[in-house]
Amino acid sequence: MKIALTIAGSDSGGGAGIQADLKTFQQFGVFGTSVVVAITAQNTRGVRAVETVPEPMVAAQLTAIAEDLPPAALKTGMLAEASLVRLVAKAIRENAWAPLVVDPVIVASSGHRLLATEAEDVIRDSLLPLAALVTPNLDEAAVLTGRVVHDVASMERAGETLVRFGAAAALVKGGHLPDDGESLTDLLVTPEGVLRFTHPRIATTSTHGTGCTLSAAVTAGLALGRPLETAVADALDFVHRAIAGAPGLGAGHGPLDHTVTAPPPPPR
């Protein structure tokens, strides 16, 4: 069994963060390990409190994984502070962990900021050059590139900028685009070109943890040895069905259905 690692924050509501990542890994048939860098008190209505894990404890978790359960692929999510970003990037480099999926979590869907402003440059400078894929939404792409991202053309430009910053590829997610039709578009930008993925738009408030789930699904696919384009396509399909099957829990932005079946491996 392949091992996938998530380095992220904990979500007491169970719909995002470490909890969403581990549920997603399980569905894809990979063994999930975790390094918790922050603890949040949150539910579908919003984030009530955030507390970072002390750096020595984060370092101890990273060492424990490295010495016994090295991952076949890994992802980062909420990293909270600049010092924690540096610590995580250092461990990834020293252990030569790859492929890495960077989900640059900056602001929760409720609007609560989950990354210190001074950490934005550290993600751009320290993590992106290590990434096989970075998966920003429109707001995150704008923060990382310093450009307004508001349509498909600007999504493509943002993806190209992130690749110039060092990421091997960028999946710019279009879920926050204005509702101008029945479909939404995500762009996979690589040095070779741009691949467009289009899905029917689902009218729902059950979107909590969508980005975490997507990046975890890509990570699982990469751990299983799938090519990047296949891993991305499978992940988008998984998330689309997880949103469609959302159980409608909570009074705010509810969680996805992480029990939907993962796409089967491609034929050999």
Side-chain angles (χ1 to χ4, degrees), residues 42 44-47 106-115 139 176 208 253:
Q42 63 175 300
T44 67
R45 294 180 176 181
V47 179
I106 296 175
V107 179
S109 55
S110 63
H112 192 105
R113 191 169 184 92
L114 299 177
L115 181 73
D139 294 336
H176 293 173
H208 181 58
H253 291 281

Side-chain angles (χ1 to χ4, degrees), residues 64-145:
I65 294 298
E67 67 185 14
D68 190 46
L69 295 164
L74 71 155
K75 63 156 285 188
T76 58
M78 174 189 177
L79 295 178
E81 297 178 352
S83 59
L84 289 173
V85 178
R86 293 188 186 96
L87 175 62
V88 167
K90 181 173 181 286
I92 292 171
R93 287 195 307 271
E94 290 180 349
N95 291 294
W97 285 337
L100 166 67
V101 176
V102 173
D103 181 10
V105 176
I106 296 175
V107 179
S109 55
S110 63
H112 192 105
R113 191 169 184 92
L114 299 177
L115 181 73
T117 303
E118 60 270 20
E120 294 167 2
D121 289 343
V122 185
I123 285 182
R124 183 166 48 241
D125 298 338
S126 299
L127 271 187
L128 290 191
L130 304 175
L133 180 70
V134 57
T135 63
N137 60 29
L138 301 189
D139 294 336
E140 292 159 351
V143 168
L144 291 175
T145 63

Side-chain angles (χ1 to χ4, degrees), residues 11 15-17 20-21 24 109 207-214 239 253-256 258:
D11 172 13
D21 294 342
T24 302
S109 55
T207 55
H208 181 58
T210 303
C212 303
T213 303
L214 177 63
V239 169
H253 291 281
L256 316 186
H258 290 99

Side-chain angles (χ1 to χ4, degrees), residues 189-233:
V189 181
T190 71
E192 288 71 43
V194 179
L195 188 60
R196 180 177 298 203
F197 296 90
T198 303
H199 290 279
R201 186 182 292 271
I202 300 173
T204 182
T205 58
S206 296
T207 55
H208 181 58
T210 303
C212 303
T213 303
L214 177 63
S215 56
V218 175
T219 302
L222 294 175
L224 292 168
R226 300 178 187 180
L228 179 62
E229 290 184 7
T230 302
V232 167

